[in-house]
Amino acid sequence: MRRLAAASLAGTAVEFYDFFVYGTAAALVLGPLFFPTFSPVAGTLAAFGTFAVGFLSRPLGAALFGHIGDRCGRRPVMFASLLLTGTATVAVGCVPSYATLGVAAPLLLLALRFVQGLGLGGEWGGAVLLTVEHAPQRRRALWASFPQVGPSVGFLLANGVMLALSAGLSDAQFREWGWRVPFWAAGLLAAGGLLLRRSLAETPQFRDMAESGTRASAPLREVVRQHWRLVLLTAGALAVGYAVFYAVSTWALAYGTERLGVSRTVMLICVMSAVAVKGVATPFAALLGDRYGRRPMCLAGCAAVALWMFPMVALLHTARPLLMVLGLTGALLAFLTMFAVVAAYLPELYEPRVRCTGAAVGYNLAGVVGGALTPVVATAAAGGAGPPWGVAAYLAGIALLSLGCFALLPETLPQPAAGTVTAPAAGTAGSATA
């Protein structure tokens, strides 16, 4: 389990490094370089628009790789998705700016961001199922939380490289070529992730289905016909996680540097500090999920997010580093209460024959609802001289939406019976919701 957890964490870290380095570049430099004819705010909005395209393609990647995962195995998904995302990320670092290519430059950026989203849409399902389907039932949430640490590690890697370059280069050097280095580094990280994953074994549940001939012939069709309500509920339930994380990691970075006049280095340190705390706390919150259940943790997390958004905005608006770190960390810890257990919760909601497709599509649809538009909406809602209360209201509203969706989902924590622990019957939770 330690080897599986390490390989899953490393892979998701590399995939999310690729995804996050684009978000950081969009907040810092892509607007002026690829949309120079726009005003500063409009250029940032346009850059965030290309950022959103990656979320729109993630459900398509989830459907594509989910089919592979349910038909051919969880293991092939982990290789193909990592290779696709890494290649697209390196290519982003090679795209000439608008000054060289004209309108073709942002179009190329848009296409490569779409490919990035396809790869990331498949990564989560493969990595999570490889740990969930190997893990002992009593510690399923704990082991499944390690792929969930991957986004924090990927974010810290992406922003650490950006921070080092930002601090070591002049502004002109950073805009000319420095911002490209983290994209080129993605190739080395992807190669390392592929080497780490090459010795992983297929999950016992998939091997059993392959031997017994019970694999779904058309997983996506089966999910759409039989579990469509469950997919929509899980997408709405997880929207709050995407909204909060990208508000902290992407919008707050742009707001602090452009509207509050905080230096790029200080804002990167503030955001990275909050994300580091989140990464360390993830396994501990997952242990609580194994003890008290998945659904109570999710409900508590959504309520905490709704209550903390207005204090977070107020603390961020002070432009004081320690207060900004406090506001951002509180938001991520509130969202973490839910995020730490969903890697076990979602697969448990679906029967094994369509688990890779159902869990991945629901998870990545949530990205469209909560993540794709959050930087754009938050940037547009942050007008005026005072604190951006519109951003707080938007995030609190998404938290309440997710709270309602979680309230309609069943608990899946395996219950002890006659001195043993038994897993829920295949498809029980999915049938109850469908």
Side-chain angles (χ1 to χ4, degrees):
M1 284 308 307
R2 286 192 293 270
R3 184 166 54 86
L4 283 169
S8 296
L9 190 158
T12 53
V14 172
E15 291 263 17
F16 278 93
Y17 167 90
D18 296 348
F19 207 69
F20 289 146
V21 78
Y22 190 100
T24 305
L28 298 178
V29 297
L30 294 188
L33 289 175
F34 289 88
F35 304 95
T37 59
F38 291 18
S39 69
V41 173
T44 301
L45 284 171
F48 281 152
T50 63
F51 175 75
V53 168
F55 287 96
L56 298 178
S57 61
R58 281 176 66 170
L60 298 177
L64 171 64
F65 287 104
H67 179 88
I68 296 172
D70 285 325
R71 289 292 305 160
C72 305
R74 321 317 192 191
R75 190 171 175 269
V77 171
M78 298 180 70
F79 285 90
S81 61
L82 184 57
L83 182 62
L84 184 64
T85 307
T87 303
T89 305
V90 173
V92 169
C94 300
V95 176
S97 67
Y98 185 93
T100 303
L101 279 189
V103 72
L107 291 178
L108 274 174
L109 207 61
L110 204 67
L112 291 171
R113 181 61 175 174
F114 185 88
V115 175
Q116 264 193 330
L118 284 178
L120 190 61
E123 165 65 25
W124 186 85
V128 163
L129 290 190
L130 205 70
T131 51
V132 167
E133 293 185 347
H134 276 101
Q137 293 176 358
R138 291 180 183 271
R139 288 290 178 260
R140 192 177 288 157
L142 172 63
W143 288 113
S145 72
F146 284 93
Q148 298 294 77
V149 178
S152 297
V153 176
F155 181 87
L156 293 173
L157 282 173
N159 286 273
V161 174
M162 282 288 191
L163 178 61
L165 291 167
S166 179
L169 300 175
S170 68
D171 192 64
Q173 290 173 322
F174 184 78
R175 289 178 180 272
E176 183 179 352
W177 59 267
W179 69 272
R180 299 181 183 274
V181 174
F183 291 90
W184 297 336
L188 295 176
L189 293 174
L194 290 171
L195 286 174
L196 189 60
R197 289 180 165 186
R198 65 179 180 176
S199 62
L200 296 180
E202 188 53 78
T203 70
Q205 283 183 321
F206 182 82
R207 290 200 304 267
D208 291 344
M209 288 189 297
E211 291 170 2
S212 62
T214 56
R215 290 174 294 175
S217 58
L220 181 61
R221 183 174 61 191
E222 191 169 324
V223 166
V224 171
R225 287 182 176 178
Q226 299 181 23
H227 304 289
W228 62 270
R229 184 170 179 265
L230 181 57
V231 170
L232 294 179
L233 282 176
T234 52
L238 297 179
V240 62
Y242 283 95
V244 172
F245 190 84
Y246 286 102
V248 169
S249 64
T250 302
W251 168 76
L253 188 60
Y255 180 76
T257 54
E258 294 176 5
R259 294 292 304 280
L260 301 180
V262 181
S263 76
R264 184 166 56 212
T265 300
V266 170
M267 279 307 305
L268 281 171
I269 291 173
C270 289
V271 175
M272 288 172 66
S273 300
V275 173
V277 173
K278 168 192 167 290
V280 171
T282 299
F284 297 99
L287 280 172
L288 295 177
D290 276 326
R291 183 182 180 111
Y292 299 109
R294 291 48 159 139
R295 187 169 172 268
M297 295 288 290
C298 293
L299 294 172
C302 291
V305 168
L307 292 173
W308 187 250
M309 289 303 96
F310 285 91
M312 181 199 78
V313 164
L315 291 167
L316 180 64
H317 190 70
T318 65
R320 297 180 180 179
L322 289 179
L323 294 180
M324 289 193 295
V325 170
L326 175 62
L328 300 177
T329 302
L332 290 185
L333 289 178
F335 128 80
L336 171 66
T337 308
M338 173 271 296
F339 182 77
V341 300
V342 296
Y345 194 18
L346 258 68
E348 289 171 344
L349 287 168
Y350 292 89
E351 55 186 311
R353 55 188 277 115
V354 295
R355 181 174 286 163
C356 194
T357 301
V361 169
Y363 185 85
N364 287 288
L365 274 178
V368 178
V369 178
L373 296 179
T374 290
V376 176
V377 172
T379 301
W389 301 123
V391 176
Y394 171 74
L395 295 173
I398 293 182
L400 294 176
L401 166 68
S402 294
L403 182 70
C405 291
F406 275 122
L408 296 173
L409 291 171
E411 179 57 77
T412 61
L413 179 68
Q415 297 299 317
T420 61
V421 177
T422 58
T428 299
S431 301
T433 358

